[in-house]
Amino acid sequence: MEEPIVRVEHLSHRYSVQWAIRDINFEINQKGILGLLGSNGAGKSTTMNIICGVLNQTEGTVYINGIDTRKQPVEAKKYIGFLPQKPPLYTDHNVSEYLTYCAHLRLMDDREVKAAVVSAMKRCGIAHFSKRLVKNLSGGYQQRLGIAQAIVHNPKLVVLDEPTNGLDPNQILEIRDLIREIAQDHAVLLSTHILSEVEAICQNIKMIEHGNLIFSGTLDEFHDSVKSNTCIVKLENAPAEGELGNIPGVIKVKKLDEHSFRLQFEQEGEEVAKRVAEICVNRGWRLSEMQMEKVSMDEIFAQLSGKRVVDKF
Ligand SMILES: Nc1ncnc2c1ncn2[C@@H]1O[C@H](COP(=O)(O)OP(=O)(O)OP(=O)(O)O)[C@@H](O)[C@H]1O
């Protein structure tokens, strides 16, 4: 059987006395973009730094393509490309010199370096800047170069730590397009605390909070992980708010306009919603619309991380 690209087993790390991550386990088996999501300080960078061999874990094991990163770090690193939060750029090099240097650092065969540098520059849209000094590139192009150094040796795994941090909105869209393109033939592990980023480009999500892995699944599963308990009803012959509030299972009511109300249910809603619909019809309130409200990414994130959910009432 083929080895997973990444296998993380019982990974824990402690900085002096405080545990930053505890008992993290997961595998990456395929190409595509996996988003590592979490609040500031959740443990994303710690996890990525260990996977990439930049930090030695306190406990647990990371295998890249079946190779233990602790026992055979040099071999394992051939399969990893890493863009840390702060790109490791040598600003007095020009683009081509810098990538050539990076390719040698990755122990590439000398005969392959030139073509690999040209290919990485092309893929990242920086070929026209090959002779430009790194310090004279804009932030967006420096980030492209950061990604180019992460793929120059054609690794199986590309790890990007908050790759759109600090970029302007147009640069963010361009870098996201580039990451999507890279993910066609690499497994990309990307950390972010920006929910719209996850929604825009990730197929799978792992969420870390206080150093623990608290969610693992597809984007759709993430959306389904928290069920809605609010709904909007439209009643052509609306009663007073109090009457809606007296329906068993309804705990809050907010009048939105003459005919529309937001109802909050005791628990997640389908059973109560059916009851509300029956009562509205039986009492002649002329129910014309009823829709469970979608739970936003922000609300899911807040609930999963145990934070206070914004009260819509
Ligand atoms: N070198 C260090 N020494 C001591 N504590 C550290 C060190 N680096 C990180 N920490 C702590 O470990 C925890 C996890 O930090 P980490 O940087 O992995 O989180 P993160 O999810 O990447 O956050 P951010 O999104 O802010 O980068 C935090 O409490 C942080 O303060």
Side-chain angles (χ1 to χ4, degrees):
M1 211 176 69
E2 210 179 323
E3 288 286 350
I5 300 171
V6 181
R7 183 150 44 98
V8 172
E9 284 183 353
H10 305 296
L11 195 64
S12 297
H13 188 72
R14 194 174 51 199
Y15 294 102
S16 62
V17 289
Q18 202 181 349
W19 289 97
I21 52 167
R22 279 321 295 257
D23 199 26
I24 305 275
N25 294 277
F26 66 85
E27 282 185 7
I28 302 177
N29 290 298
Q30 59 197 9
K31 295 167 191 168
I33 307 177
L34 168 65
L36 191 58
L37 185 62
S39 321
N40 286 329
K44 304 181 296 293
S45 295
T46 302
T47 306
M48 290 184 144
N49 287 337
I50 295 170
I51 289 175
C52 295
V54 175
L55 181 68
N56 272 337
Q57 65 268 41
T58 311
E59 290 171 9
T61 318
V62 176
Y63 299 93
I64 306 291
N65 209 28
I67 302 165
D68 184 330
T69 53
R70 206 61 190 271
K71 290 188 178 147
Q72 294 175 270
V74 176
E75 194 54 29
K77 280 179 191 176
K78 288 184 186 162
Y79 297 98
I80 307 170
F82 183 32
L83 175 64
Q85 232 171 63
K86 210 168 170 300
L89 302 177
Y90 294 102
T91 53
D92 289 329
H93 281 166
N94 72 30
V95 165
S96 159
E97 284 165 352
Y98 169 69
L99 288 175
T100 304
Y101 170 72
C102 293
H104 286 302
L105 273 186
R106 312 287 191 188
L107 305 179
M108 286 188 76
D109 187 327
D110 284 351
R111 289 164 300 179
E112 290 172 9
V113 169
K114 202 169 171 197
V117 167
V118 170
S119 159
M121 286 193 298
K122 266 197 196 148
R123 275 192 95 173
C124 295
I126 49 176
H128 56 304
F129 286 145
S130 68
K131 297 286 175 253
R132 184 169 288 196
L133 287 182
V134 173
K135 64 180 163 201
N136 294 333
L137 294 175
S138 68
Y141 277 96
Q142 289 199 351
Q143 200 64 347
R144 283 172 181 268
L145 181 57
I147 294 175
Q149 65 76 32
I151 61 163
V152 70
H153 54 307
N154 197 24
K156 284 195 165 189
L157 174 69
V158 179
V159 179
L160 308 172
D161 197 352
E162 307 206 2
T164 57
N165 217 1
L167 300 180
D168 73 33
N170 286 332
Q171 291 171 336
I172 289 177
L173 294 183
E174 285 171 19
I175 293 295
R176 284 185 188 161
D177 281 344
L178 174 58
I179 295 170
R180 277 194 203 96
E181 203 271 317
I182 303 273
Q184 307 272 321
D185 40 27
H186 301 268
V188 175
L189 174 63
L190 163 157
S191 80
T192 183
H193 54 262
I194 307 165
L195 293 162
S196 56
E197 183 134 291
V198 171
E199 205 154 27
I201 58 175
C202 299
Q203 289 91 42
N204 289 291
I205 299 178
K206 309 250 176 242
M207 182 166 163
I208 296 191
E209 217 36 56
H210 301 300
N212 296 302
L213 196 60
I214 59 166
F215 175 86
S216 187
T218 63
L219 186 58
D220 287 343
E221 286 164 346
F222 188 75
H223 278 296
D224 288 343
S225 64
V226 174
K227 298 276 182 230
S228 171
N229 71 341
T230 62
C231 94
I232 305 290
V233 290
K234 193 166 177 196
L235 303 165
E236 298 308 324
N237 186 21
E241 263 176 78
E243 286 200 57
L244 289 166
N246 286 337
I247 298 174
V250 175
I251 54 171
K252 277 186 185 167
V253 180
K254 183 176 184 184
K255 189 168 184 170
L256 303 174
D257 61 37
E258 203 185 332
H259 298 288
S260 304
F261 299 83
R262 172 177 287 123
L263 309 182
Q264 184 176 349
F265 304 146
E266 219 160 33
Q267 330 104 6
E268 65 182 64
E270 298 211 342
E271 277 308 305
V272 190
K274 272 189 209 155
R275 191 181 315 139
V276 170
E278 271 169 29
I279 291 175
C280 289
V281 172
N282 291 344
R283 295 191 189 169
W285 293 338
R286 293 175 53 208
L287 176 66
S288 61
E289 251 181 68
M290 180 171 202
Q291 194 160 35
M292 294 303 293
E293 280 192 294
K294 202 168 171 249
V295 188
S296 70
M297 288 284 275
D298 287 324
E299 289 171 288
I300 298 170
F301 186 86
Q303 285 218 10
L304 290 177
S305 56
K307 301 209 172 79
R308 208 171 62 83
V309 180
V310 179
D311 193 355
K312 296 178 191 157
F313 287 82

